[in-house]
């Protein structure tokens, strides 16, 4: 199966779901259960194994995983949670879902990852946790973060939506935190259209999340299918955050391609790196992790030039996105900072960053096309004295 490429001449992203996923979903459809059952369990077992983690609970999204991670740690009204300025809104929205208050902290200029040196100053009496985001697929230095968090009495929840495959100094997501949260949204490295997972080393936390994902019911549809009807109860109200067997059946075959796809991402990133390094004005964020999951390939271009580059990409039908407009520029999150003007790096990255088309099967010819158009547009800017032309 080839995804429909109508629209952009160089698509931003194409999934690689194919015959194996089709066959797997059809098998899951033949089972009367459809909802959370043996496919979900099989996925959870394999995903935990791949990460070297103890427990995985599959959920409806990464946002649900972040919410339940916070909730399972008793974080709620009156509490504060530190989040980085450069991330998707969901990192902070999950804190609001839990009833707590996000506190936005600035990021390091070279990487865009949370600036570890700023955490202590952002902590108050109310601060309970920090959510590092493994931005673009690069793991935060978790050993250092863990040390800082322990010294300040903070819990750590990883937003690993971009980072299944990543490693830093031998550390993988989910191993040095209370919980790591993953996304299987349509454009992520693993996808079931929508979906997510929480990974943890704690059996009690995993058990809590397992109940909370299904209203808090002590019996599930899967139990009923196996054992017949039994009375059930809800001791603590939960949410409807479970993953279906259909979603899990789509994810399972993709696990076999994780390594192969990661290698294909590396090859394409190296091609971009080589071509872009010759272009003045283009900056590639530092990649220093042992293994970078390369969820996104982003560059930074001069603020004054980005609008015209975006117009040109739109005109030439080159797909692109901005990852991200920083959290404090989003209306409903704009007040969650300690003091005005304390997020200069996030602000600057928000104005300069541009994510280029990138996916494991992307033709190398498309990489060349993107770079040529970017180079041409930036050189026009130079001849106009760096200002925007008409
Ligand atoms: C995609 C994403 C999320 C949200 O994932 P969902 O599965 O859509 O809830 C959270 N954080 C980051 C950094 C993301 O990129």
């Amino acid at each position: 199966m080839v995804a429909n490429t109508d629209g952009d001449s160089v698509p931003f992203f194409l999934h690689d779901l194919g015959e194996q996923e089709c066959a797997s979903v059809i098998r899951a459809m033949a089972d009367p259960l459809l909802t959370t059952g043996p496919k979900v369990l099989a996925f959870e077992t394999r995903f935990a194994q791949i990460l070297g983690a103890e427990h995985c609970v599959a959920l409806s999204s990464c946002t649900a995983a972040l919410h339940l991670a916070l909730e399972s740690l008793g974080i709620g009204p009156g509490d504060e949670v530190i989040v980085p300025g450069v991330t998707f809104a969901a990192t902070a929205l999950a804190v609001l879902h839990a009833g707590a208050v996000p506190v936005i902290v600035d990021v390091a200029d070279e990487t865009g990852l949370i600036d570890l040196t700023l955490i202590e100053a952002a902590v108050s009496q109310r601060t309970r946790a920090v959510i590092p985001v493994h931005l673009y697929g690069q793991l935060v230095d978790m050993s250092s973060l863990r040390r800082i968090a322990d010294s300040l009495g903070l819990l750590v929840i990883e937003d690993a939506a971009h980072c299944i495959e990543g490693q830093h100094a031998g550390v993988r997501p989910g191993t040095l935190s209370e919980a790591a949260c993953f996304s299987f949204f349509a454009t992520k490295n693993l996808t079931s259209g929508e979906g997510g997972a929480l990974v943890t080393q704690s059996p009690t936390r995993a058990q809590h999340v397992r109940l909370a994902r299904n209203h808090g019911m002590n019996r599930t549809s899967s139990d009923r299918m196996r054992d017949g009807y039994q009375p059930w109860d809800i001791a603590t109200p939960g949410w409807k955050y479970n993953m279906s067997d259909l979603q899990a059946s789509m994810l399972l075959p993709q696990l076999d391609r994780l390594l192969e796809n990661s290698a294909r991402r590396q090859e394409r990133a190296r091609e971009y790196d080589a071509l872009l390094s010759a272009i003045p004005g283009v900056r590639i964020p530092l990649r220093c992790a042992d293994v970078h999951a390369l969820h996104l390939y982003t560059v930074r271009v001069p603020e004054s030039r980005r609008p015209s580059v975006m117009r040109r990409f739109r005109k030439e039908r080159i797909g692109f996105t901005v990852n991200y407009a920083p959290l404090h520029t989003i209306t409903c999150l704009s007040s969650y900072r300690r003091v005005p003007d304390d997020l200069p790096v996030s602000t600057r990255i928000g104005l300069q960053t541009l994510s280029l088309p990138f996916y494991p099967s992307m033709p190398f010819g498309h990489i060349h096309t993107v770079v040529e158009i970017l180079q041409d547009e930036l050189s026009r800017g130079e001849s106009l004295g760096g200002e925007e032309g008409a």
Side-chain angles (χ1 to χ4, degrees), residues 238-385:
W239 287 264
K240 192 69 204 305
Y241 281 169
N242 56 316
M243 176 184 279
S244 78
D245 261 20
L246 296 178
Q247 289 167 299
S249 69
M250 201 185 298
L251 291 168
L252 276 164
Q254 294 175 62
L255 294 176
D256 298 328
R257 292 200 298 276
L258 265 183
L259 270 182
E260 179 193 325
N261 276 346
S262 183
R264 297 168 92 190
R265 286 178 185 274
Q266 308 286 345
E267 286 166 14
R268 282 154 183 81
R270 276 199 296 272
E271 187 76 3
Y272 263 133
D273 289 346
L275 297 170
L276 289 169
S277 62
I279 305 179
V282 174
R283 197 174 139 204
I284 302 165
L286 180 67
R287 299 200 300 268
C288 50
D290 308 344
V291 181
H292 193 301
L294 285 165
H295 169 55
L296 293 165
Y297 190 93
T298 65
V299 295
R300 293 189 211 156
V301 297
E303 291 169 36
S304 62
R305 303 299 311 137
R306 197 180 67 173
S308 64
V309 170
M310 288 180 173
R311 267 199 302 278
R312 180 77 183 276
F313 275 7
R314 232 175 261 124
K315 180 162 156 261
E316 310 263 4
R317 296 193 304 134
I318 307 285
F320 66 89
T321 63
V322 169
N323 302 97
Y324 290 92
L327 293 185
H328 65 283
T329 65
I330 296 170
T331 304
C332 72
L333 298 173
S334 58
S335 62
Y336 297 114
R337 58 202 287 183
R338 284 278 181 243
V339 284
D341 306 321
D342 60 347
L343 301 165
V345 181
S346 300
T347 302
R348 190 162 65 236
I349 290 175
L351 295 169
Q352 296 180 343
T353 191
L354 188 67
S355 299
L356 304 180
F358 191 68
Y359 54 97
S361 61
M362 181 174 179
F364 283 84
H366 281 189
I367 294 176
H368 288 249
T369 305
V370 172
V371 173
E372 277 160 26
I373 291 170
L374 178 60
Q375 179 163 32
D376 184 62
E377 191 56 41
L378 288 174
S379 67
R380 279 171 197 235
E382 273 161 26
S383 64
L384 291 167

Side-chain angles (χ1 to χ4, degrees), residues 30-63:
D31 186 312
L33 186 67
L34 300 179
T35 180
T36 311
K39 303 289 184 194
V40 168
L41 187 60
F43 172 75
E44 291 172 339
T45 306
R46 282 201 57 203
F47 196 66
Q49 245 166 25
I50 286 171
L51 289 164
E54 288 295 319
H55 306 278
C56 169
V57 184
L59 299 165
S60 53
S61 71
C62 179
T63 310

Side-chain angles (χ1 to χ4, degrees), residues 78-344:
D79 295 332
E80 289 178 350
V81 177
I82 291 171
V83 298
V86 180
T87 180
F88 180 54
T91 314
L93 293 183
V95 176
L96 295 175
H97 295 334
V101 173
V103 174
I104 306 169
V105 164
D106 212 3
V107 298
D109 179 60
E110 312 79 55
T111 58
L113 300 176
I114 190 165
D115 187 336
L116 299 182
T117 66
L118 299 178
I119 290 176
E120 185 168 3
V123 168
S124 80
Q125 293 288 341
R126 295 166 176 270
T127 314
R128 295 280 316 281
V130 53
I131 306 183
V133 176
H134 305 315
L135 192 72
Y136 310 145
Q138 175 152 258
L139 207 77
V140 168
D141 174 358
M142 287 300 293
S143 306
S144 299
L145 176 62
R146 185 78 253 182
R147 224 175 304 119
I148 292 165
D150 286 348
S151 75
L152 298 169
L154 302 181
L155 301 163
V156 180
I157 298 166
E158 294 169 77
D159 182 335
H162 296 184
C163 189
I164 296 166
E165 310 91 329
Q167 289 188 41
H168 186 72
V171 177
R172 314 186 61 185
T175 49
L176 284 186
S177 61
E178 273 56 53
C181 303
F182 297 85
S183 174
F184 311 125
F185 176 68
T187 56
K188 299 290 176 15
N189 287 18
L190 267 187
T191 183
S192 46
E194 300 285 355
L198 180 144
V199 162
T200 180
Q201 310 288 15
S202 155
T204 50
R205 197 164 305 124
Q207 185 50 29
H208 177 98
V209 172
R210 216 170 270 288
L211 274 180
R213 75 174 167 186
N214 188 35
H215 305 297
M217 288 169 77
N218 61 352
R219 285 178 211 287
T220 65
S221 305
S222 184
D223 297 335
R224 187 165 65 241
M225 190 76 80
R226 195 182 52 237
D227 306 332
Y229 176 83
Q230 299 279 344
W232 53 262
D233 191 24
I234 297 172
T236 310
W239 287 264
K240 192 69 204 305
Y241 281 169
N242 56 316
M243 176 184 279
S244 78
D245 261 20
L246 296 178
Q247 289 167 299
S249 69
M250 201 185 298
L251 291 168
L252 276 164
Q254 294 175 62
L255 294 176
D256 298 328
R257 292 200 298 276
L258 265 183
L259 270 182
E260 179 193 325
N261 276 346
S262 183
R264 297 168 92 190
R265 286 178 185 274
Q266 308 286 345
E267 286 166 14
R268 282 154 183 81
R270 276 199 296 272
E271 187 76 3
Y272 263 133
D273 289 346
L275 297 170
L276 289 169
S277 62
I279 305 179
V282 174
R283 197 174 139 204
I284 302 165
L286 180 67
R287 299 200 300 268
C288 50
D290 308 344
V291 181
H292 193 301
L294 285 165
H295 169 55
L296 293 165
Y297 190 93
T298 65
V299 295
R300 293 189 211 156
V301 297
E303 291 169 36
S304 62
R305 303 299 311 137
R306 197 180 67 173
S308 64
V309 170
M310 288 180 173
R311 267 199 302 278
R312 180 77 183 276
F313 275 7
R314 232 175 261 124
K315 180 162 156 261
E316 310 263 4
R317 296 193 304 134
I318 307 285
F320 66 89
T321 63
V322 169
N323 302 97
Y324 290 92
L327 293 185
H328 65 283
T329 65
I330 296 170
T331 304
C332 72
L333 298 173
S334 58
S335 62
Y336 297 114
R337 58 202 287 183
R338 284 278 181 243
V339 284
D341 306 321
D342 60 347
L343 301 165

